[in-house]
Structure formats: structure tokens, C-alpha cells
Amino acid sequence: VQLQASGGGLVQAGGSMRLSCAASRSINTINIMGWYREEPGKERELVASICPGGVIEYSKSVNGRFAVSRDSAKNTIYLQMDNLKPEDTADYYCYAKLVSRMGNPINFWGRGTQVTVSS
């Protein structure tokens, strides 16, 4: 699976931004998709994930401010980020997880897109 992320950039605190991630195959065939973020010197953190059945998970730090959604017709997922805070500054990575017939997970990653929130 190839993932093409877009969006990102510079925004002031309190502002909004939307990230997109287009997959090279039908997202209905992908078990889980979502977003991680990584700050320099820190571990990559799960931000949000979504399944074809609509099950959604958010990290506590973004719950209520971020919303993940999917568009099957475009094979794309989105991350709408509202009320952004300087601590949201990070490189954001789109990911996809497939589970093989043997039950083994296979992860795919897109290139990071940088989000910078100024105070």
C-alpha cells in the first residue's frame, strides 16, 4: 500500500488545518488507517485511527479537537485539526495496517508532513 499525505504547514494557535492521506488501493480493504505524530527526540504517538466499520480511536491529547474521517470513493482519509495548540507541532504520518490471513499485521507508512503551530 502506498500512502500519499498532504496538508500541513504553519498555523497560529487556535487555528485549524486538515491533513489528507490517499491510499493506492481501496481503503475498504485496509483493516486500520490513521495518523501518528512525532516530535524531535520523542516516540511516535498515535493521534487517531479509523476502520472501515467506522470505529474511531483518538489519543487523549487531541480528543475533542481532532476528527478523523474517511472517503471510500476517493480512497482517502482525513484528519481535521481544530483549536490547534503549540504542543501539536510535529511531523504527522499517515499509516495503514493490513492483517494477513495468518493474522500477522503489516504496517505501511506515508511520508511525514510537518505541522507547526505558532503561539
Side-chain angles (χ1 to χ4, degrees):
V1 180
Q2 292 183 331
L3 303 171
Q4 182 67 45
S6 60
L10 175 64
V11 66
Q12 287 189 334
S16 297
M17 184 177 289
R18 189 175 81 159
L19 304 181
S20 302
C21 177
S24 60
R25 60 184 277 176
S26 169
I27 63 174
N28 291 329
T29 66
I30 299 174
N31 297 87
I32 301 173
M33 291 188 70
W35 299 89
Y36 275 76
R37 67 185 181 187
E38 185 175 315
E39 299 174 63
K42 295 185 178 181
E43 291 187 0
R44 196 169 287 191
E45 172 194 25
L46 174 65
V47 176
S49 60
I50 187 168
C51 304
V55 176
I56 295 174
E57 178 183 0
Y58 295 104
S59 71
K60 292 182 179 179
S61 60
V62 307
N63 195 23
R65 299 187 297 119
F66 290 11
V68 62
S69 61
R70 58 199 301 274
D71 186 336
S72 299
K74 296 181 179 180
N75 292 326
T76 300
I77 66 168
Y78 304 94
L79 183 67
Q80 177 66 40
M81 304 182 290
D82 297 322
N83 190 22
L84 282 159
K85 303 176 180 180
E87 51 264 41
D88 294 318
T89 296
D91 289 327
Y92 285 70
Y93 295 87
C94 176
Y95 84 101
K97 177 179 288 186
L98 298 177
V99 180
S100 70
R101 293 182 180 180
M102 300 299 294
N104 299 317
I106 306 170
N107 295 324
F108 300 87
W109 296 92
R111 287 188 177 182
T113 183
Q114 188 173 46
V115 173
T116 303
V117 184
S118 63
S119 57

